[in-house]
């Protein structure tokens, strides 16, 4: 890591998820369906990526057997019905120290009511446990992997422990085993010059779709940790502007190679315009749902 991160881990209950909600998402079939998202409380990811702030909602130790199914029960009892479910755990679902393998059957039983189950994983863990879990599900499995960027130099410095070739190989294994791929991509990651960021997010989208991704989720890189603050102070990172996110989504949608979503959760952008920001966020939300490029927002104040 570039600098030590601050110790500010949240106090969490291993028997409860730390967040959950249902939101609409465009499906591969073209319908807008309710999707449940459960943020599972579990052990911290062993890969300490430079830009990651998700560790703040993790535990130092592995949860007890039965805790993850209990967390899912807790969330499902408090959410409306949905067609698909995302079981996100701020790391890798197939990390046995995060999600106990002994709980796979109980998790699959609960997830079996959904048409599609979406989990996240580091490419290094696409293997036997992934295929074992898939075989337990009556519906389809989708795995979200963080590509982050196709810029090889920046990717190496993100401390992700992965190369582009390794991502492509893991994507191939998913494809050959009938598992869909969702790729997470950073808009304006650290170690990429601001004037080159648009080109590299375009290359990253192309790379993800070349690897067989059916979904690309574009995440504006945030400054939420001491590490990212230090990089910003050194000039190695600058938070993306709204225009950068808009242009990335527009480029991805224009490719027509898969669904492209702007991640609007905890949106933190540089030089936010108070006049047009709400309209721009709403435009991106509607583009997520329609998968079409809508008329741009015009603003006399910021002149974007």
């Amino acid at each position: 890591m570039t600098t030590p991160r601050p110790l500010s881990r949240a106090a969490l209950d291993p028997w409860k998820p730390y967040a959950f909600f249902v939101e609409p998402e465009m499906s591969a079939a073209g319908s807008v369906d309710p999707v449940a998202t459960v943020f599972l409380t579990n052990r911290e990811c062993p890969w300490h990526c430079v830009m990651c702030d998700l560790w703040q909602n993790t535990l130092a130790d592995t949860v007890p057997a039965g805790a993850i199914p209990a967390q899912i029960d807790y969330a499902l009892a408090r959410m409306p019905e949905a067609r698909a479910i995302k079981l996100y755990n701020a790391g890798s679902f197939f990390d046995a120290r995060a999600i106990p393998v002994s709980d796979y059957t109980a998790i699959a039983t609960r997830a079996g009511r959904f048409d599609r189950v979406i989990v996240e994983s580091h490419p290094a863990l696409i293997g036997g446990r992934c295929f074992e879990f898939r075989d337990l599900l009556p519906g389809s499995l989708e795995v979200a992997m963080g590509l982050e960027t196709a810029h090889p130099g920046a990717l190496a410095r993100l401390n992700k422990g992965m190369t582009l070739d390794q991502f492509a190989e893991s994507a191939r294994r998913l494809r050959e085993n009938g598992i869909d791929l969702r790729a997470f991509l950073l808009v304006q990651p650290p170690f990429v010059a601001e004037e080159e960021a648009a080109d590299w997010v375009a290359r990253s989208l192309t790379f993800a779709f070349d690897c067989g991704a059916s979904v690309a989720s574009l995440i504006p890189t945030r400054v939420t940790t001491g590490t990212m603050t230090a990089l910003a102070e050194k000039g190695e990172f600058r938070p993306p502007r709204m225009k950068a996110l808009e242009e990335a989504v527009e480029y991805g949608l224009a490719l027509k190679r898969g669904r492209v979503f702007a991640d609007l959760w905890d949106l933190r952008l540089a030089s936010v315009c108070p006049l047009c920001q709400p309209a721009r966020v709403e435009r991106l939300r509607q583009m997520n749902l329609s998968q079409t490029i809508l008329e741009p927002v015009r603003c006399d104040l910021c002149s974007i």
Side-chain angles (χ1 to χ4, degrees), residues 115-173:
D115 297 336
R116 175 174 293 264
V117 179
I118 306 156
V119 300
E120 52 191 352
S121 179
H122 190 283
L125 297 179
I126 301 303
R129 288 194 291 269
C130 174
F131 309 141
E132 174 188 342
F133 184 68
R134 174 211 55 192
D135 291 343
L136 293 171
L137 296 171
S140 59
L141 176 63
E142 179 178 315
V143 175
M145 296 197 304
L147 169 60
E148 320 306 355
T149 179
H151 188 300
L155 181 61
R157 296 183 68 187
L158 289 178
N159 200 38
K160 192 164 182 73
M162 177 198 79
T163 65
L164 295 175
D165 286 344
Q166 289 168 333
F167 183 93
E169 172 60 19
S170 295
R172 181 191 66 78
R173 297 192 74 186

Side-chain angles (χ1 to χ4, degrees), residues 17-25 33-40 54 71-72 74-88 114 182 262-266 285:
Y18 69 88
F20 51 88
F21 52 81
V22 172
E23 62 182 354
E25 182 175 289
D33 297 332
V35 176
T37 300
V38 182
F39 291 100
L40 300 170
L54 300 178
Q71 290 183 39
I72 298 171
Y74 184 93
L76 293 182
R78 291 161 175 79
M79 290 191 296
E81 291 296 317
R83 294 287 302 276
I85 187 168
K86 297 175 182 176
L87 297 175
Y88 285 174
F114 298 94
R182 177 177 300 229
D263 187 337
L264 303 178
W265 178 77
D266 194 26
R285 195 183 317 278

Side-chain angles (χ1 to χ4, degrees), residues 22 51 208 254 292:
V22 172
M51 70 292 175
T292 57

